[in-house]
Amino acid sequence: PRQFAVAITFFCNLEQTVSQETLLNLHWNGSRASNRSRALIACISQFRSRLSLGGESGFTLLRALGRGYRLTLQPLSWL
């Protein structure tokens, strides 16, 4: 359920940077502070793997250092 909610957040903010703090507040608000960042990193890694977000699917999930994450849509090469 949490991975789905994170996915919805990224797809609703396609091509926009979503801050780590926003993700933590939306999806890990009740968790202990020490576990929140690790849980987010694990969730992002699983999300990236499950949806092939390294570019193979047409989408890439990028880390914007110091800012958060950005889901981008790659241009179709055959057009």
Side-chain angles (χ1 to χ4, degrees):
R2 190 172 282 165
Q3 277 187 350
F4 183 76
V6 169
I8 294 296
T9 301
F10 282 122
F11 282 105
C12 287
N13 292 284
L14 188 64
E15 302 290 344
Q16 298 175 29
T17 300
V18 180
S19 74
Q20 181 172 334
E21 194 62 34
T22 297
L23 291 167
L24 290 172
N25 288 337
L26 285 173
H27 306 298
W28 281 271
N29 202 18
S31 301
R32 290 181 39 208
S34 62
N35 296 332
R36 290 170 27 137
S37 291
R38 280 186 295 208
L40 174 62
I41 290 168
C43 182
I44 296 292
S45 177
Q46 292 170 358
F47 173 63
R48 189 179 273 140
S49 295
R50 285 187 180 180
L51 297 183
S52 300
L53 297 178
E56 307 87 17
S57 66
F59 292 94
T60 303
L61 184 61
L62 304 170
R63 173 94 165 105
L65 290 177
R67 296 177 56 207
Y69 297 89
R70 179 186 308 198
L71 183 64
T72 61
L73 178 60
Q74 303 301 311
L76 297 174
S77 60
W78 50 271
L79 286 179

